[in-house]
Structure formats: C-alpha cells, structure tokens
Amino acid sequence: MARTLTGVEKAAVLLLALGADLSSQVLRQNFYDEDIERITYTISNMGRVSPETRDNILTEFEDLYQAKQYILQGGIKYAKELLEKTVGPNRASEIIKKLTSTSKILPFSALRKTEPRYLANFIRDEHPQTIAMILAYLEPNQASACLSMLPQEIRADVARRIALMDKTSPEVVQDVEKILERKMAALVQQESYTVGGLQALVKILNQADRATEKKILEELEYDDPGLAEEVRQQMFIFEDIVKLDDISIQRILREVDNKVLALALRGANESVRERIYKNQSQRASQMLKEEIEFMGPVRLREVEEAQQRIVKIIRSLDEAGEIVISRGGEDALVI
C-alpha cells in the first residue's frame, strides 16, 4: 500500500508538473523563503512519481483552488453549497475540511496569527467596510476580541456591515489582503530595525585573536551559558569545512560515524562533498557515495542535526589543539 504524501511533497509534485519556468514564478510570488527552501529540498529528494499520483494531485489542486474562489465570493457555506452540486456532498465536505484546516489557504492568513489587541490597533483606521471584511474571514474568537477593542463609535457600524455582507469579488479580497500585508510588513520593518545582535557579536569575534575570543566566551559562559552556546554555534558552520586543511579534515573524519557523515552530506553543497571525498580512501569515498545515494528522502531537521554534531566535534578538536580553525585576526601560518 502506497504511503500518503505530505502537503510539501504534493506541492513538489505539482511544481514538477508545471515545469521549471512556471514553478519558479509560483514559488517567487506565493511563498516565503522558509517554504521555498522546504519545497525545493523536497523536489531534490523526490523519487519517481507515477502518472496516476501526479494526476490525482493535479485534480486535488484544481478542486481546492475552485473551492477557495467560492469561499472568496461568499464564504464557506456558499462554497460548500456550490461544491456539493459539482462533486457531491462527501467530496465537498472533504475539500472544505482541507481548506479550513490550514489558515494559509484562506484570506488574511497573515492577520490570523496576530494578537487581537495589536490587530485592532492596526485596522482601526481602515474604512468600516474593509474592517468588516477582515473580521468576517477571521476565526470567530479572534474576530470577537478584535471587534470589542475597536473604537466605540465604529463598532456598531462594522457589526452591521458584517451582518449585511453578501458575496465579495475575489479580486477585491485579494487586493485588500495584499495592501494590508504590505502595510504590516513595512510597520514590522520600522519597529524591528536594530543594531548589534548575535550576528554582530559573531562577526566581531571572528575577527578577534584566539585568546580574546576564548576569554570572552569563557566570561559569557559564566554569565549566560545559553548565549555562549548560541555564539559558539555561529562561530563555525558546517560549510566552513572547505576552509580547513586536508590534515585537519582527515583528523575530523576519524571521529565521525559514517552514517552521521552521510546524513550531513545529504544536504551539503558539492564543494563540501568533494572536499570530504578527497580526504578519504577511494573505497571509503565510494561507500559514502553509495550510502548517500540509497538513503532515500530525509527530513531537513535530521540533516541539520547531523551537521551540527560534526561541528561540535570540530569545535572540540579545535579547543584540544588537535586541529586549527583559521580565523581573522590570527596569522595564517606559524613557523
């Protein structure tokens, strides 16, 4: 019995069916960076997909898209009534359930994650009809809390407009949603502009000599162990392996389990892989390549955990003086 594909896997199959040019436009215009990373990673790990599976996913996408248009026009009840006439009550209920199970598919998904008090302040200066439209698409508990926090002089008007609201053009809903998302993004950007931070400290320490770095990290460890660990994790990333000399890489490989190494390299770029293969025997590198090839799909989280385990080994070997991680502020070579 074939396993059920996840939502990300279905998205990957759909994008593969659309072709490279159209898929790139869809990803760029409709997804956040973290979603693009997950989907493209899944695409790179996809095995063969049967024509039947592909056709089923395309049909499911078409049904969901049509249902979303109905929801935009007249809400969930209206959408369900129309779907029942075309695909039957059982299939209609299944489609509506899938749509309502994830807020990303419904309008104003960005606002659904916003705390009611903040949302009320954000939309209070919009036209009452716009406010009514927004609240009508939110979850009842969020909409209720938000309505109660609006200025008293507009609450009754907004409530009346919600009650009298009928069909709304999908284009109008989408235009309002895009405008509000741009306003919110601009507001967040203004409020979030800061200097300093973890990355700033990491960049400074990367340019410091080893004695200074060690002293600062020791003092951070005493005052704030959690922060010290975050800084250490940022000081050397897995891809920095290519900056190490061959002898150091060979020393590291003696401490790393082959399965952990294969998992870590599954998500690594070609330059990192080639640097590892170069520092193994021909037989060992061939076995590693075969392990990676026959591993099958893996979760991105598991790959990152394997890479972090190797980074910790590198850090411990560096602290023990068995390898040298070259950093700014140090001489590249001591004679």
Side-chain angles (χ1 to χ4, degrees), residues 218-238:
E218 285 176 350
E219 292 176 356
L220 274 179
E221 180 70 34
Y222 180 79
D223 294 329
D224 192 338
L227 177 60
E229 179 59 22
E230 286 184 49
V231 172
R232 286 195 178 94
Q233 289 178 0
Q234 296 293 327
M235 291 296 293
F236 184 95
I237 63 174
F238 183 75

Side-chain angles (χ1 to χ4, degrees), residues 296-318:
V298 295
R299 294 181 182 276
L300 179 60
R301 183 181 68 253
E302 295 173 344
V303 172
E304 291 174 342
E305 288 174 352
Q307 291 178 351
Q308 192 58 36
R309 288 176 64 180
I310 294 175
V311 168
K312 287 183 178 179
I313 291 173
I314 293 172
R315 188 182 301 127
S316 65
L317 290 173
D318 176 53

Side-chain angles (χ1 to χ4, degrees), residues 82-330:
L82 291 183
L83 287 171
E84 286 177 349
K85 295 177 181 179
T86 56
V87 298
N90 292 335
R91 178 63 178 152
S93 296
E94 181 183 339
I95 294 171
I96 293 297
K97 184 178 180 181
K98 285 183 179 180
L99 277 173
T100 55
S101 66
T102 170
S103 62
K104 285 188 177 181
I105 297 178
L106 298 175
F108 305 110
S109 59
L111 302 184
R112 289 167 177 268
K113 303 173 184 177
T114 306
E115 197 271 328
R117 183 177 299 277
Y118 181 83
L119 179 56
N121 288 329
F122 179 69
I123 66 175
R124 62 185 298 164
D125 294 327
E126 300 292 334
H127 190 281
Q129 186 64 33
T130 300
I131 298 175
M133 181 194 302
I134 294 168
L135 297 186
Y137 282 104
L138 299 180
E139 292 293 334
N141 58 342
Q142 185 187 23
S144 174
C146 187
L147 180 62
S148 68
M149 297 173 188
L150 291 173
Q152 186 173 352
E153 59 269 20
I154 68 170
R155 281 191 303 213
D157 187 18
V158 170
R160 181 180 62 82
R161 291 172 184 271
I162 293 174
L164 297 176
M165 191 178 300
D166 193 6
K167 298 178 184 177
T168 306
S169 165
E171 289 77 16
V172 171
V173 176
Q174 290 168 353
D175 287 345
V176 172
E177 183 177 17
K178 288 179 181 178
I179 291 171
L180 289 175
E181 286 183 351
R182 284 198 296 270
K183 285 184 178 179
M184 181 169 282
L187 182 62
V188 170
Q189 186 175 21
Q190 291 172 7
E191 292 181 350
S192 300
Y193 182 77
T194 58
V195 295
L198 180 62
Q199 289 301 319
L201 175 59
V202 169
K203 288 178 181 179
I204 292 171
L205 291 181
N206 275 332
Q207 297 301 317
D209 60 85
R210 191 179 303 274
T212 300
E213 173 201 318
K214 185 176 180 181
K215 181 66 175 176
I216 291 174
L217 287 175
E218 285 176 350
E219 292 176 356
L220 274 179
E221 180 70 34
Y222 180 79
D223 294 329
D224 192 338
L227 177 60
E229 179 59 22
E230 286 184 49
V231 172
R232 286 195 178 94
Q233 289 178 0
Q234 296 293 327
M235 291 296 293
F236 184 95
I237 63 174
F238 183 75
E239 287 74 15
D240 287 340
I241 287 176
V242 297
K243 301 176 183 178
L244 300 176
D245 61 79
D246 290 341
I247 295 177
S248 294
I249 294 177
Q250 292 165 20
R251 176 67 186 89
I252 292 163
L253 291 178
R254 291 203 297 270
E255 300 295 326
V256 179
D257 180 86
N258 208 53
K259 291 187 180 298
V260 174
L261 181 60
L263 187 57
L265 291 182
R266 184 60 186 271
N269 59 50
E270 198 59 33
S271 60
V272 172
R273 291 189 182 190
E274 288 302 322
R275 194 65 192 278
I276 296 296
Y277 298 151
K278 175 187 173 183
N279 284 280
Q280 292 181 306
S281 67
Q282 186 173 356
R283 180 171 179 275
S285 65
Q286 185 59 39
M287 290 176 62
L288 181 59
K289 292 175 184 178
E290 290 175 357
E291 176 110 15
I292 296 171
E293 183 180 355
F294 295 110
M295 186 178 295
V298 295
R299 294 181 182 276
L300 179 60
R301 183 181 68 253
E302 295 173 344
V303 172
E304 291 174 342
E305 288 174 352
Q307 291 178 351
Q308 192 58 36
R309 288 176 64 180
I310 294 175
V311 168
K312 287 183 178 179
I313 291 173
I314 293 172
R315 188 182 301 127
S316 65
L317 290 173
D318 176 53
E319 291 173 353
E322 297 192 42
I323 64 171
V324 175
I325 299 175
S326 178
R327 294 177 174 84
E330 295 182 319

Side-chain angles (χ1 to χ4, degrees), residues 39-46 266:
I39 293 172
T40 52
Y41 182 79
T42 302
I43 290 175
S44 68
N45 284 283
M46 287 291 293
R266 184 60 186 271

Side-chain angles (χ1 to χ4, degrees), residues 19-35:
D21 292 339
L22 186 54
S23 294
S24 63
Q25 295 180 38
V26 171
L27 285 171
R28 187 169 58 251
Q29 297 175 12
N30 297 278
F31 293 91
Y32 297 111
D33 289 345
E34 58 186 31
D35 295 323

